């Protein structure tokens, strides 16, 4: 009987060392920008009670109705692997009463999210999001800060070929009148809508505007615009947001069809779209959610936030940039038992000074070890044999460019090795 190989789950992938350097660089760059704006990290569990998501994101949304990883725990309770970050952040915000300590909270998160979707390029079942939430202000300044932060974050990673789209969904005061107008328009075109949209028309008509099917897009092209129905307050808010963005030089387009796929949004919504990903082109998106904190059982706290899909951003970056360079490395080659011990000790000592050292762990012939040093991209090879042990020196070989070709080796006293390496690596940096 043949044993069947166990593979990773469809839509969930390993991120191997060749890729993790990209992720680490991206996370570093994001952390720097977030710190500049005063955002602090929050980490919430991957599992939450199912009700948290179904209530906040909305029963009728794609995420809740067909994309969640939900299962029954051993005690019978229904748990769900988080499909997005905002609901969990708001739950934690309420649970720990963060509003009491600080009227305004600036939070960010980064981690895996789970949605049972059809896997394809830029779409996975486990994917990674970085998001930021600004809780405690209803002022348009908060919307502007969030949008500005979103564009800055994505730009700092290196993705600048993006366009910003914004819209306003109004509030509970003005949206019903718009919804009525939209429904009567859509009824007139029901024959051209897909089956999903026929259902949406009854349960959540705004969501029809979000459908990506050609026939539905054609219908929604001439649909009435929410911005024409905004109440005075919502209209003033939207105007201030636009003014703020213009002042910051963040150019944008108003996209009347952008309603976003989650029920908790009100007023401003926004999306950052990249060129070059086909239909999987949204790299970051968000909006204002003034009712969510109360809905999850907290006080009335207005808020605004965004989330960005890091997998997609990396796909785009890798089309343009070369791999992040790793720092120069010293490779330790030894020959003979005494040298082997000396090498162990020396490698450890050099590392403690902050220089990256890789020691050959297979020994064997000098030639074989040198080959491996070359393959691993060593900048300097430190060689220790019987002669070196006897004279308390090491031989150092420069593996870069011309120096490598000219079989030149330098003899350096053991106690000067760290100093020698530091000086030569500094020289490298100065170039
Ligand atoms: P889409 O319209 O592409 O399905 P969405 O509206 O469902 O996106 P959000 O819930 O707003 O996406 O999540 C924010 C970002 O997370 C998206 O813009 C996208 O970059 C990323 N994202 C969402 N779902 C996935 C997924 N299955 N795989 C990879 N990235 C994703
Ligand atoms: Mg989606």
């Amino acid at each position: 009987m043949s044993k069947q190989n166990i593979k990773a789950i469809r839509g969930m992938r390993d991120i191997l060392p060749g890729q993790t350097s990209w992720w680490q660089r991206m996370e570093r760059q994001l952390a720097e920008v977030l710190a500049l704006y005063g955002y602090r990290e929050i980490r919430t569990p991957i599992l939450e009670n199912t009700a948290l998501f179904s209530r906040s994101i909305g029963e009728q949304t794609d995420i809740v109705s067909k994309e969640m990883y939900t299962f029954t725990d051993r005690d019978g309770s229904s748990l769900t692997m988080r499909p997005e970050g905002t609901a969990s952040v708001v739950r934690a915000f309420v649970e720990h009463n963060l509003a009491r300590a600080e009227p305004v909270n600036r939070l960010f998160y980064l981690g895996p999210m789970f949605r049972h979707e059809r896997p394809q390029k830029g779409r996975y079942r486990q994917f990674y999001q970085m998001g930021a939430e600004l809780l405690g202000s209803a002022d348009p300044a908060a919307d502007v800060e969030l949008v500005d932060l979103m564009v800055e974050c994505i730009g700092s990673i290196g993705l600048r070929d993006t366009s910003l789209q914004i819209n306003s969904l109004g509030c509970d005061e003005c949206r019903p009148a718009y919804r009525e107008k939209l429904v009567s328009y859509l009824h007139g075109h029901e024959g051209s809508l897909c089956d999903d949209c026929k259902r949406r028309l009854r349960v959540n008509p705004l969501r029809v505007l979000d459908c990506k099917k050609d026939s539905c897009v054609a219908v929604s092209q001439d649909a009435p615009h929410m911005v024409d129905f905004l109440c005075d307050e919502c209209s003033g808010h939207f105007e201030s947001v636009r003014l703020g963005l213009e002042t910051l030089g963040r150019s944008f387009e108003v996209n009347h069809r952008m309603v976003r796929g989650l029920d908790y949004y009100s007023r401003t919504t926004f999306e950052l779209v990249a060129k070059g990903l086909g239909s999987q082109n949204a790299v970051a998106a968000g909006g204002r959610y003034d009712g969510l904190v109360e809905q999850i059982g907290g006080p009335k706290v207005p808020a605004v936030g965004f989330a960005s899909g890091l997998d997609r951003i990396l796909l785009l970056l890798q089309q343009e940039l070369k791999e992040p360079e790793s720092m120069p490395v010293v490779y330790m080659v030894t020959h003979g038992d005494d040298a082997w011990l000396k090498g162990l000790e020396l490698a450890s000592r050099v590392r403690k000074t902050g220089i990256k050292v890789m020691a050959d762990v297979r020994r064997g012939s000098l030639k074989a070890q040198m080959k491996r040093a070359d393959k691993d991209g060593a900048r300097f090879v430190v060689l220790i044999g019987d002669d070196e042990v006897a004279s308390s020196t090491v031989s150092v070989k420069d593996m870069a460019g011309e120096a490598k070709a000219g079989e030149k080796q330098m003899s350096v006293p053991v106690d000067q090795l760290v100093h020698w390496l530091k000086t030569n690596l500094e020289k490298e940096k100065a170039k």
Side-chain angles (χ1 to χ4, degrees), residues 9-213:
I9 295 165
R10 194 166 126 80
M12 306 198 178
R13 67 213 198 282
D14 301 303
I15 300 177
L16 301 176
Q19 286 289 310
T20 44
S21 48
W22 285 89
W23 285 87
Q24 287 161 355
R25 176 169 72 172
M26 177 166 65
E27 288 165 16
R28 245 190 344 263
Q29 289 163 330
L30 287 171
E32 270 171 34
V33 175
L34 288 156
L36 279 179
Y37 284 72
Y39 284 69
R40 299 192 302 159
E41 186 178 8
I42 180 166
R43 299 186 189 190
T44 63
I46 281 168
L47 286 178
E48 297 275 1
N49 283 303
T50 303
L52 173 67
F53 302 116
S54 50
R55 267 193 234 150
S56 58
I57 300 170
E59 298 276 4
Q60 299 300 332
T61 59
D62 283 355
I63 295 179
V64 173
S65 66
K66 50 189 183 198
E67 294 174 359
M68 292 206 305
Y69 278 92
T70 297
F71 62 93
T72 309
D73 200 3
R74 290 173 196 279
D75 64 2
S77 54
S78 179
L79 303 184
T80 292
M81 293 168 76
R82 61 180 186 193
E84 59 110 38
T86 303
S88 308
V89 170
V90 171
R91 191 227 5 98
F93 173 83
V94 171
E95 191 167 330
H96 303 285
N97 213 341
L98 297 185
R100 194 176 46 193
E102 286 284 343
V104 171
N105 276 267
R106 291 180 168 88
L107 304 170
F108 82 88
Y109 59 84
L110 194 155
M113 305 294 161
F114 304 84
R115 295 186 196 173
H116 197 280
E117 302 195 73
R118 195 170 68 78
Q120 52 194 290
K121 194 173 182 199
R123 194 175 287 285
Y124 313 98
R125 290 179 174 175
Q126 173 171 336
F127 61 101
Y128 295 80
Q129 281 187 343
M130 184 280 292
E133 318 284 353
L134 172 42
L135 300 115
S137 169
D139 196 274
D143 308 51
V144 174
E145 175 175 305
L146 235 289
V147 174
D148 180 51
L149 172 64
M150 175 179 80
V151 182
E152 192 59 33
C153 277
I154 308 305
S156 78
I157 306 172
L159 199 66
R160 290 175 214 284
D161 202 8
T162 55
S163 68
L164 174 63
Q165 304 185 349
I166 65 169
N167 193 18
S168 175
L169 298 183
C171 63
D172 293 343
E173 295 287 307
C174 51
R175 205 178 307 124
Y178 169 67
R179 185 193 307 247
E180 219 168 274
K181 202 65 178 191
L182 179 67
V183 167
S184 80
Y185 168 84
L186 291 174
H187 269 308
H189 297 81
E190 200 172 339
S192 318
L193 296 179
C194 70
D195 288 344
D196 273 343
C197 281
K198 284 188 182 121
R199 187 179 49 83
R200 290 182 184 124
L201 180 51
R202 285 190 305 280
V203 294
N204 199 342
L206 263 70
R207 192 67 15 87
V208 173
L209 300 179
D210 200 34
C211 185
K212 290 176 179 101
K213 300 230 169 64

